[in-house]
Every structure is written in structure tokens, then in C-alpha cells.
Amino acid sequence: SCSDVLVCPLRPVERFRDLRPDELADLFSTAQRVANLVEKHFNATSITIAIQDGPEAGQTVKHVHVHVLPRKAGDFKHNDSIYDELQNHDQEDKDIPSKWRSEEEMAAEASDLRKQL
């Protein structure tokens, strides 16, 4: 199952360019802390960090957010297939229930990760 964690700035803005320098520093500092926790929590060996900035880049919700995805050897046949996964992530009509974590699983993961921040 996909274990995508999102990191969002406190002030919602549509595009990456709309972030102020202090917000940008805070967003990336937080993404780094979250990435370290996510890698350990999911027993990953690497992390993909991605921002889809604008609709042509695959952004489906109109606020900046950083995807933090734990990675392991062989998790995708082709490494860049992770971007196909991101593109489908927010599109409910493409969701396959068995593929995504339940609301309960995500809440439990968020609670576990939050305790470590």
C-alpha cells in the first residue's frame, strides 16, 4: 500500500512561488524531519520527496504540499512510476480500496509520527 505523507505550509497558498522565504524554510525543514521519521517508521531505505506545482505538473488540489514517500528496493518496476502513483493519488475515481490505507490506518500512522516530532 502507498504510504504517502503530506507536509503542508500553515498558510495555504496555491503555488510554490507564493510561499514567503520564511515559509519555504519552515516547509522544507519540516519535510526533512518528517522524511527522517517516515523512513524509520516504514523501514524504508530511501525517500522520494515531490511537489507537483501547477496542474500540468499533476497538482490536483490547489494548495502547496510536499509528498514524502518511503521507498524500498523493488517497490516499483521503474523508479519514475512513483510519479504515476502521485498523479492517481488524489483522484478518487481511480482509487482501488485494497490499494490505499484506510482512514483508521492513516489516523494511527499520523498519531504515531506526531508523537516523534
Side-chain angles (χ1 to χ4, degrees), residues 39-93:
E39 188 168 342
K40 290 175 190 161
H41 182 81
F42 293 102
N43 298 312
T45 55
S46 297
I47 294 287
T48 291
I49 296 170
I51 298 173
Q52 295 165 289
D53 189 35
E56 290 73 31
Q59 183 181 22
T60 57
V61 291
K62 291 188 175 188
H63 61 80
V64 171
H65 54 283
V66 178
H67 293 265
V68 179
L69 301 106
R71 303 293 304 275
K72 296 179 183 178
D75 57 1
F76 288 92
K77 185 175 179 182
H78 301 289
N79 189 56
D80 283 351
S81 295
I82 190 73
Y83 299 106
D84 296 330
E85 194 82 10
L86 285 175
Q87 182 127 7
N88 293 334
H89 185 269
D90 294 326
Q91 298 176 12
E92 291 182 20
D93 60 330

Side-chain angles (χ1 to χ4, degrees), residues 24-40:
L24 185 61
D26 185 55
L27 179 65
F28 275 94
S29 175
T30 302
Q32 183 183 51
R33 289 177 63 201
V34 169
N36 290 335
L37 292 175
V38 163
E39 188 168 342
K40 290 175 190 161

Side-chain angles (χ1 to χ4, degrees), residues 41-42 101-116:
H41 182 81
F42 293 102
R101 294 165 294 159
S102 69
E103 292 289 333
E104 293 78 16
E105 288 173 307
M106 288 188 287
E109 288 169 3
S111 178
D112 289 344
L113 292 169
R114 197 173 292 115
K115 289 175 191 170
Q116 299 174 57

